[in-house]
Amino acid sequence: MTLAVESWRTELASLVGESRLVTEPEACAALAADGKVPNCVVYPPTAKQVAAVLRYAAEHDLAIIPCRNGTKLSTGNPPRRYDLALSLKDLNHVWHYEPADLTISVEPGMKLGDFQHFVGRDRLWLPLDPRGGVRASIGGIIAANAAGPLRQGFGGPRDMVLGLKIATTDGKIVKTGGRVVKNVAGYDLIKLLIGSYGTLGVIVEANFKLYPKPAERVTFTVRVGTLAIARELRRSILSSPLDALRLVLLDSTAIVLTRGTAKANEQKDAEVWVEVGGSRRVIERCERDLGQLGRGIGAPLGRLEVREAEAAWDHISNLSAWLEGVYPDVIVLKAALPIAAGEEFLSHAQQQAEGERIPAASFAQVGVGIVHFCLLQEKLIPGLEGLISRTRKAAVDLGGTLLIEHCPTQLKGRLDVWGTPGDDFEAMHKMKSAWDPKGILVPGRFVGGL
Amino acid sequence: MKSTGFFRELARIVGEEGVLWRPEDLMLYEYDALSSVRQPDAVVFPRTTEQVVQIVKVATRHNQPVVARGAGTGLSGGSVATEGGVVLGFSRMKQILEIDLENQRARVQPGVVNLDLTLAVSDDGYYFAPDPSSQKACTIGGNVAENSGGPHTLVYGVTTNHVLALEVVLPDGEVIHTGAEHWDRPGYDLTGLFVGSEGTLGIITEVTVRLSRKPEAVKTLLAIYDRIVDATRTVAAITARGITPAALEMMDGFTLRAVEEATHAGYPMDCAAVLLIELEGLKEAVEEHADEVEAVCRENQAREVRRAKSAEERDLLWKGRKNAFGAIGRISPNYYVQDGVIPRTRLPEMLEFIGSIEKKYGLRIGNIFHAGDGNLHPLIMYDSRDSEQSARVLEAAKEIMGRCVEMGGSITGEHGVGREKINLMPLIFSDDDLEMMRRIKSLFNASGRLNPGKLLPTGKMCGELRVQAGAGGVL
């Protein structure tokens, strides 16, 4: 049943309260997805109301995108339709917090920065440095399976979420998992929701396992002249006893960008950055070992100042948002690869960009096979699709996948941002229909148009 | 008994020697480590994925249930054929197909024994992290189906944290590949859904696992206590210091004495409880943590803290722990083990509660816990020939489980729901939660012929606990 905009807006307002449905153009535009602006934004304050909104939307065939700050709204194919933004801003409670059990239960609208501040009092943290940094919301991090360089030491959301409550399109709230660190009762729907980009249901509560914060953290740097040397260093670090918390390979442009400037770099070499953590004695040991590994490739070991390191890692998390400010048409490609293929992929990607004379920066989490390759352009130039397709082919040939994490909307009509799905797509399709039979959640944005 | 045509069709796929159907041959397959239920109608041993596909199709034509089985070491009845039909035995699919150390992964067939995979990469300094106590016998396929744990999952996570990709045969014979050689393939994480689905969604025919690098240093401590409550308090105190041991196990005095008599591991015979604590990592970190942990143990009234001086001593301590269930088998004709989970800070309270249950029901309960993650394994001893006593065991088990749930815990930490806890599911899941799981099950296994009678209670069911006493008297 299709209703006139005014009438469904009135009915929705009665579900969430007048003041919680906003139609101001500015608020709507802030949550636009690929140029599509929603008719209104609703701010339900409780999980039950989220479920009620979903049910109403399903009954009236209204397309919804759930979000918080929109730090990941640029990812995905253009939405087929988009009536209403479901803001989880007001779902911001901490329900349970047991520092001694290292567990916490929070609502999805909580920002990561607030979360870390909250548990930091007890010297605990959630070791995630996702896209969007401290502004990223808990719900968004889970929905986008957003993990940054800390994945090296701690894994991703998949290794940290203990339980979820999910509002479904039939207006129910279903629970999966629990609040204890070990639990195999029932199907693991947590994994299904992680990385589903809001296409199955809306996360209204999440239980996490927390981690003790390392006493100290230090970032060491090693200059690497070529990708072959970088590969050698990566291999020797990964086969050493050292437990890196973060391990990245930055090209010379990326190094400059981590300082928050876009000035050209006189240094032409790339660097490997290794963050380690623990007591002073442990850090000294790491420094000795890394120094030795550096000497093996003829490079001295550098060390970032604590503040400098923090700011640089923050910049890496905030990369796309920050780059967008400087290069309006920036394209961020994210390749996920077998670990051994990282440097080879980079070499392909760099050749492609050089061939088209497009300045690029690469941020590679070389210990886990994730490479962010950014094409720094101020305006779209022709020939880009070819470049991206060839880069994608290189990733696929190496056993990986390539996601166009961020790009101008014009490009999206010509390229699928996710790449080609595999032989399990039919099963994914069925999964989508089981959760969202009317197809109202984030329609058309996800893999294969789900 | 099925028609001979059915058996002939199966034999055509895997050869005569690949099918068992005589009742005397099937006897071995009527039970797992929990219970004996009934015999399957046939056990088939495929060698390839293609053969699995063919078998599944024959079973479909004859409308027969299909139950996958690894080594039969499961503790929740997951691999027994509750409704008969075909058991797919994976003992002939035990090839390690590929080891790729630079990419920290291995691709294996489901019948590969857990420990064999570790042994295959051990000389190169790697291992497969999930280490169930049955790791000398249990298979990777079974680990994936049950999402198995083990003592060292405290810091390294359970099976699901170590599985990258799967090949799965769906009930209609279609073969799909989920996941990838890396973690971040776009799309729904079906690998994560299949892990722990207990053979009710598809038949796993190939597994790509993540291998872990062996730590530089390992230190194993044995803290000995005169009061059980002091041992349980130590657990949360260690965590509060910001230390996550690789393993943190607790055994009470009763269990300990049984274990010591069976394995001569060097455990003290006169204490109330021990904690077995293992620290792993960089030499410097392990040394510091070992000193801190020892201090915490002493602050919590440990009588003595011993450190294993050699790899042999360490192995012996672990041998004792991993053979504990067997040791109990020497002193009690039957035992019933549960694996409820509670927040670790509630351990002291839980121990006291279990003590009161022992008295109330006049039963002997041994306590052996993965204490670090709050995963309990109370062993309730009984004699199945005594039906009145067996009934008391059920009542006692029910109260303990109810208490786990009240404390915000779970009914199973690593053994799975299987057949055993199917009726406990409503204790922690609402009708809506269960309905969603049923909906998902029906996407893959609409006819319900894949491992029937497991994991999900059928239809509406009240929250009443009903653990059935089987024909053999085992629960």
Side-chain angles (χ1 to χ4, degrees):
Chain A
M1 185 169 94
T2 320
L3 283 178
V5 174
E6 285 72 24
S7 67
W8 65 253
R9 281 208 302 229
T10 314
E11 288 182 27
L12 265 180
S14 72
L15 283 179
V16 292
E18 285 292 331
S19 62
R20 297 186 170 278
L21 185 141
V22 171
T23 54
E24 270 93 55
E26 243 170 62
C28 294
L31 295 175
D34 289 316
K36 273 214 168 70
V37 181
N39 271 305
C40 64
V41 187
V42 284
Y43 299 86
T46 67
K48 273 194 175 156
Q49 280 172 316
V50 172
V53 169
L54 290 186
R55 183 190 194 142
Y56 182 88
E59 279 167 5
H60 298 89
D61 204 25
L62 303 173
I64 289 188
I65 298 185
C67 53
R68 165 69 171 94
N69 291 317
T71 56
K72 297 166 198 77
L73 264 178
S74 67
T75 303
N77 290 316
R80 267 198 293 273
R81 53 207 183 92
Y82 185 13
D83 298 305
L84 147 84
L86 175 61
S87 171
L88 299 162
K89 184 168 82 62
D90 292 336
L91 261 75
N92 203 15
H93 287 89
V94 175
W95 288 124
H96 294 275
Y97 174 48
E98 294 291 346
D101 283 320
L102 305 184
T103 55
I104 192 167
S105 168
V106 299
E107 288 190 323
M110 193 167 191
K111 286 196 259 184
L112 183 63
D114 296 337
F115 182 105
Q116 304 287 33
H117 184 72
F118 186 82
V119 301
R121 300 174 304 178
D122 296 303
R123 304 186 54 77
L124 300 175
W125 69 326
L126 189 64
L128 282 175
D129 50 355
R131 217 176 131 194
V134 291
R135 289 180 62 244
S137 69
I138 293 297
I141 291 169
I142 298 171
N145 188 21
L150 278 171
R151 185 200 289 247
Q152 179 68 41
F154 301 93
R158 193 179 194 284
D159 304 293
M160 300 166 191
V161 180
L162 302 174
L164 291 177
K165 282 187 184 158
I166 308 145
T168 61
T169 58
D170 48 6
K172 291 181 172 150
I173 293 175
V174 298
K175 174 186 122 170
T176 172
R179 275 197 283 130
V180 281
V181 292
K182 207 169 170 192
N183 189 359
V184 295
Y187 294 136
D188 187 349
L189 309 185
I190 300 171
K191 304 290 185 295
L192 268 184
L193 267 286
I194 293 178
S196 65
Y197 281 84
T199 58
L200 297 177
V202 176
I203 295 159
V204 289
E205 194 179 315
N207 305 338
F208 287 94
K209 164 173 153 182
L210 296 169
Y211 298 68
K213 251 185 166 170
E216 268 183 67
R217 282 186 283 157
V218 175
T219 301
F220 294 103
T221 64
V222 186
R223 270 197 197 197
V224 287
T226 65
L227 283 173
I229 295 173
R231 179 188 297 127
E232 199 185 318
L233 184 63
R234 183 257 300 159
R235 280 183 184 150
S236 55
I237 291 173
L238 291 184
S239 56
S240 80
L242 302 179
D243 293 313
L245 305 183
R246 306 194 240 214
L247 171 61
V248 296
L249 166 65
L250 307 174
D251 67 12
S252 57
T253 313
I255 297 167
V256 180
L257 292 173
T258 63
R259 295 186 197 125
T261 68
K263 262 197 287 176
N265 194 357
E266 59 280 10
Q267 176 191 321
K268 288 288 168 247
D269 284 348
E271 284 180 6
V272 168
W273 288 14
V274 193
E275 186 186 55
V276 294
S279 68
R280 187 143 300 167
R281 221 176 121 219
V282 168
I283 286 172
E284 280 166 12
R285 157 75 195 278
C286 295
E287 184 166 15
R288 269 200 310 279
D289 283 18
L290 286 168
Q292 206 166 359
L293 295 178
R295 277 194 295 282
I297 55 163
L301 188 68
R303 179 181 176 142
L304 296 186
E305 289 303 315
V306 176
R307 278 221 196 112
E308 191 190 352
E310 255 176 50
W313 290 118
D314 280 353
H315 262 105
I316 292 178
S317 297
N318 264 315
L319 194 68
S320 357
W322 185 80
L323 288 178
E324 207 184 0
V326 189
Y327 308 98
D329 280 327
V330 65
I331 295 172
V332 181
L333 305 177
K334 175 190 161 189
L337 302 149
I339 299 166
E343 296 84 5
E344 196 177 336
F345 169 77
L346 267 176
S347 146
H348 279 284
Q350 284 168 355
Q351 275 170 28
Q352 291 295 335
E354 275 163 28
E356 302 282 345
R357 291 164 200 263
I358 300 174
S362 59
F363 299 78
Q365 299 163 35
V366 283
V368 291
I370 303 288
V371 177
H372 279 99
F373 192 71
C374 313
L375 298 167
L376 309 173
Q377 32 164 27
E378 280 153 46
K379 61 179 200 314
L380 267 184
I381 55 157
L384 266 174
E385 293 108 285
L387 186 160
I388 295 171
S389 299
R390 289 192 297 276
T391 309
R392 173 171 275 161
K393 184 172 180 303
V396 172
D397 289 348
L398 289 164
T401 51
L402 186 113
L403 160 67
I404 306 170
E405 199 171 79
H406 182 105
C407 78
T409 303
Q410 305 94 288
L411 211 55
K412 291 189 179 181
R414 292 172 263 162
L415 282 166
D416 189 286
V417 305
W418 305 97
T420 319
D423 64 10
D424 56 348
F425 181 68
E426 172 72 25
M428 290 186 194
H429 197 266
K430 283 190 198 164
M431 190 58 66
K432 168 76 175 173
S433 331
W435 288 81
D436 179 21
K438 297 269 183 66
I440 58 152
L441 281 169
V442 201
R445 293 207 90 190
F446 198 41
V447 176
L450 292 176
Chain B
M1 191 75 184
K2 298 289 166 293
S3 70
T4 46
F6 176 58
F7 301 128
R8 220 173 290 135
E9 278 186 63
L10 293 173
R12 221 173 284 144
I13 301 167
V14 291
E16 288 286 338
E17 80 299 344
V19 191
L20 300 177
W21 68 81
R22 292 185 191 87
E24 62 272 28
D25 291 330
L26 297 176
M27 277 173 74
L28 263 177
Y29 297 89
E30 68 184 31
Y31 56 81
D32 66 357
L34 170 82
S35 64
S36 157
V37 183
R38 59 161 286 182
Q39 290 188 349
D41 293 290
V43 183
V44 195
F45 301 96
R47 289 183 188 276
T48 63
T49 301
E50 183 46 34
Q51 288 181 347
V52 174
V53 170
Q54 296 304 324
I55 295 162
V56 166
K57 285 183 174 166
V58 169
T60 304
R61 262 203 311 282
H62 291 265
N63 198 24
Q64 289 299 305
V66 178
V67 181
R69 181 181 176 98
T73 56
L75 286 158
S76 58
S79 65
V80 289
T82 47
E83 295 175 19
V86 180
V87 161
L88 274 171
F90 278 101
S91 50
R92 292 181 182 178
M93 283 178 78
K94 54 176 180 189
Q95 302 282 319
I96 296 177
L97 301 167
E98 187 191 358
I99 290 173
D100 180 352
L101 293 180
E102 190 175 356
N103 285 316
Q104 299 168 0
R105 65 181 165 82
R107 200 158 52 82
V108 303
Q109 287 189 312
V112 169
V113 169
N114 174 298
L115 189 61
D116 287 350
L117 176 58
T118 285
L119 292 176
V121 294
S122 184
D123 286 347
D124 295 304
Y126 286 82
Y127 71 111
F128 179 55
D131 64 335
S133 291
S134 56
Q135 72 183 135
K136 283 182 187 163
C138 68
T139 63
I140 304 283
N143 297 164
V144 170
E146 298 295 321
N147 192 12
S148 306
H152 289 80
T153 55
L154 177 55
V155 67
Y156 300 111
V158 292
T159 302
T160 193
N161 304 104
H162 301 272
V163 176
L164 284 160
L166 296 172
E167 178 183 79
V168 186
V169 175
L170 298 179
D172 60 2
E174 191 194 343
V175 182
I176 63 167
H177 297 83
T178 69
E181 290 176 26
H182 52 83
W183 286 114
D184 265 9
R185 187 175 151 221
Y188 300 134
D189 181 2
L190 297 178
T191 306
L193 174 69
F194 278 108
V195 176
S197 63
E198 304 190 7
T200 64
L201 301 180
I203 308 279
I204 291 151
T205 49
E206 204 177 290
V207 187
T208 304
V209 298
R210 180 167 71 137
L211 298 172
S212 306
R213 203 191 59 231
K214 279 200 260 182
E216 176 185 52
V218 180
K219 274 213 189 312
T220 310
L221 280 69
L222 185 73
I224 302 165
Y225 294 85
D226 287 328
R227 292 195 320 160
I228 200 164
V229 65
D230 294 327
T232 53
R233 278 188 190 136
T234 306
V235 175
I238 290 173
T239 315
R241 289 282 180 101
I243 299 172
T244 310
L248 177 45
E249 302 282 303
M250 199 202 89
M251 274 193 275
D252 68 6
F254 177 81
T255 312
L256 205 62
R257 285 182 277 282
V259 165
E260 184 56 23
E261 274 163 18
T263 61
H264 307 291
Y267 289 119
M269 294 291 278
D270 63 341
C271 64
V274 297
L275 290 180
L276 182 59
I277 307 160
E278 194 146 275
L279 299 155
E280 294 186 354
L282 269 193
K283 194 159 60 67
E284 288 79 359
V286 167
E287 279 165 10
E288 286 172 5
H289 285 166
D291 292 344
E292 272 187 74
V293 165
E294 181 167 342
V296 174
C297 294
R298 292 194 192 279
E299 278 162 29
N300 285 278
Q301 274 75 47
R303 177 175 90 190
E304 188 190 342
V305 182
R306 296 183 192 164
R307 295 190 188 194
K309 290 180 203 71
S310 62
E312 289 72 33
E313 246 183 79
R314 170 184 180 244
D315 289 348
L316 208 53
L317 288 173
W318 278 110
K319 188 178 160 204
R321 165 60 188 88
K322 293 207 170 181
N323 291 319
F325 289 8
I328 293 294
R330 284 165 44 117
I331 59 166
S332 175
N334 303 86
Y335 63 85
Y336 177 47
V337 57
Q338 295 183 296
D339 90 313
V341 190
I342 55 169
R344 66 197 123 207
T345 48
R346 310 289 293 268
L347 280 171
E349 203 182 319
M350 190 51 153
L351 251 295
E352 202 174 307
F353 180 75
I354 292 175
S356 72
I357 290 291
E358 255 187 311
K359 286 200 196 80
K360 179 173 169 189
Y361 292 97
L363 294 164
R364 192 67 244 209
I365 304 179
N367 286 299
I368 175 160
F369 298 167
H370 299 308
D373 40 28
N375 191 187
L376 314 174
H377 288 332
L379 295 153
I380 312 178
M381 281 154 254
Y382 70 107
D383 184 340
S384 64
R385 289 164 298 189
D386 180 345
S387 60
E388 185 273 333
Q389 193 189 34
S390 302
R392 272 186 282 140
V393 171
L394 293 177
E395 284 302 309
K398 170 178 155 178
E399 279 205 44
I400 295 172
M401 208 53 108
R403 194 59 191 258
C404 288
V405 174
E406 275 169 28
M407 286 182 172
S410 171
I411 57 171
T412 173
E414 56 184 8
H415 296 173
V417 174
R419 169 175 167 274
E420 178 204 14
K421 290 175 278 263
I422 194 163
N423 293 325
L424 300 181
M425 289 287 274
L427 282 183
I428 50 172
F429 292 114
S430 71
D431 284 349
D432 288 344
D433 305 338
L434 292 171
E435 188 46 43
M436 181 52 87
M437 291 189 215
R438 281 192 203 103
R439 217 189 282 174
I440 285 167
K441 178 176 170 182
S442 70
L443 295 179
F444 296 95
N445 183 15
S447 69
R449 282 185 309 94
L450 219 51
N451 209 8
K454 310 294 166 60
L455 196 141
L456 272 178
T458 45
K460 289 230 166 192
M461 204 169 268
C462 61
E464 177 65 12
L465 255 150
R466 283 185 289 135
V467 184
Q468 303 137 339
V474 188
L475 298 163

